Amino acid sequence: MKTQNLRTILLTICCVSYLLVGAAIFSALEYEEDQEMRKNMTILHKTLTKKYNISDEDIGKWLQYLDSKANIDADLYQWSFAGSVYFATTVITTIGYGHTVPKTNRGKVFCMIYAAVGIPLALTMFQSIGERLNTFLAHMFRRVKKKLGMKNTEVSNTANMVVLFGLFAMMVTVCLGAFIFRYYEKWTYFKSLYYCFITVTTIGFGDYVALQDSRETRFDHTYVGISLLFIFFGLTIVGSVMNQLALRLLTASQTKETTDQLLVEGPCLCEKCSRRESIDIFNLYPSDLSTTLLKNYEEEIAFTTYKGLHRKRASI
């Protein structure tokens, strides 16, 4: 228990340190340009108000008009059925671009209720689909290893090759999606790549949002379907990969901890299990048990049960 608490504290410290380091880098990269922009906008504001004798109240109304005009001129009407499907997708997937928000109180109340039910449902769905994909990949790798005549053909759902293939699939998904949005949105490839990554990782800044640029000819529903398909497929791939990486990080120290504990206590000396204990410690545990922990998503339960059984056998 003490080791588990220590591991939690260390992970928390690492996360907070990573947060602070990232904040320092972002500040160094963006602060000067932001200050320059603020200075230029202040000068522009004073110039326009003085030249055209515009009051602050009129400027506020003008800004409100521009915000409403952007929603009206968007390629996908804000609260049409297709637009509502797009909005509902950003809610339950926690992307939350911010380009569309409910304005009425009844809409805000329903949004909170809808999100409270939809977010766990969507996360469970993505996790379930991701697990099926990992199972399929593991099966394919087992068949390949069998075809190659390898002795050890066992491949778990969380094996290194499965995780690496998932990372490759995530990269391919983002890159191909960037080509699609570059074609339809007329963005540069870098902007499209940035939009795809921010979307599938559910960050959703909202600085780039598909189906929002004003044009004389609006997009057909085919592009709307492509956008939604990209979001769901991308979230499935990325969610699965991120989950596997997090589980590996979580169980890395736990596997070492259990192995060290067994080595300190020593193997069971009775005739029935001494040979098995020796095999568990030196051959099976570092790899196979770690794989089992990741595969079943029961790290703490498996660890506690194993220690209890070992101590029980040792006391016989």
Side-chain angles (χ1 to χ4, degrees), residues 179-186 215 219 222-223 226:
F179 279 109
I180 296 174
F181 290 103
R182 179 179 179 273
Y183 172 77
Y184 281 102
E185 297 290 341
K186 309 304 178 184
R215 296 191 182 92
F219 294 125
T222 302
Y223 177 49
I226 292 174

Side-chain angles (χ1 to χ4, degrees), residues 9-226:
I9 294 173
L10 290 177
L11 287 174
T12 303
I13 294 174
C14 290
C15 184
V16 173
S17 300
Y18 189 77
L19 172 67
L20 296 178
V21 170
I25 294 175
F26 281 124
S27 179
L29 294 175
E30 299 290 337
Y31 183 80
E32 291 185 2
E33 185 171 350
D34 178 71
Q35 292 300 307
E36 185 68 21
M37 183 270 294
R38 288 172 177 269
K39 180 180 178 180
N40 294 335
M41 290 298 103
T42 302
I43 295 174
L44 181 61
H45 174 81
K46 292 181 179 179
T47 301
L48 292 177
T49 53
K50 182 178 180 180
K51 181 177 181 179
Y52 297 103
N53 194 24
I54 304 175
S55 64
D56 291 337
E57 182 180 357
D58 290 336
I59 290 179
K61 293 180 179 179
W62 177 251
L63 293 175
Q64 185 179 2
Y65 163 75
L66 292 177
D67 181 62
S68 300
K69 186 176 184 300
N71 290 326
I72 293 173
D73 291 340
D75 293 299
L76 185 64
Y77 289 119
Q78 190 175 19
W79 294 115
S80 64
F81 181 74
S84 298
V85 170
Y86 195 70
F87 169 76
T89 301
T90 64
V91 171
I92 65 174
T93 57
T94 69
I95 295 175
Y97 290 124
H99 67 294
T100 301
V101 293
K103 298 296 179 62
T104 63
N105 290 335
R106 60 179 181 272
K108 294 175 181 178
V109 170
F110 177 74
C111 183
M112 291 187 288
I113 298 174
Y114 183 76
V117 177
I119 291 175
L121 181 63
L123 292 178
T124 303
M125 179 194 71
F126 289 131
Q127 179 62 38
S128 179
I129 297 175
E131 290 177 0
R132 301 287 76 74
L133 289 175
N134 289 334
T135 301
F136 173 76
L137 290 175
H139 175 70
M140 294 302 296
F141 281 122
R142 281 194 292 268
R143 295 191 62 178
V144 170
K145 293 177 72 174
K146 187 175 181 180
K147 290 288 185 181
L148 295 176
M150 301 178 67
K151 294 183 178 180
N152 183 13
T153 60
E154 181 62 27
V155 178
S156 70
N157 293 357
T158 54
N160 290 333
M161 60 181 66
V162 176
V163 176
L164 291 175
F165 188 87
L167 290 172
F168 176 75
M170 181 182 72
M171 182 179 65
V172 171
T173 301
V174 172
C175 292
L176 290 180
F179 279 109
I180 296 174
F181 290 103
R182 179 179 179 273
Y183 172 77
Y184 281 102
E185 297 290 341
K186 309 304 178 184
W187 294 333
T188 64
Y189 182 77
F190 176 76
K191 289 182 179 180
S192 301
L193 189 70
Y194 171 80
Y195 164 77
C196 291
F197 181 82
I198 294 300
T199 295
V200 298
T201 53
T202 71
I203 298 174
F205 288 129
D207 49 350
Y208 294 100
V209 182
L211 302 164
Q212 299 302 304
D213 292 337
S214 175
R215 296 191 182 92
E216 295 181 359
T217 303
R218 297 182 182 274
F219 294 125
D220 56 19
H221 292 293
T222 302
Y223 177 49
V224 179
I226 292 174

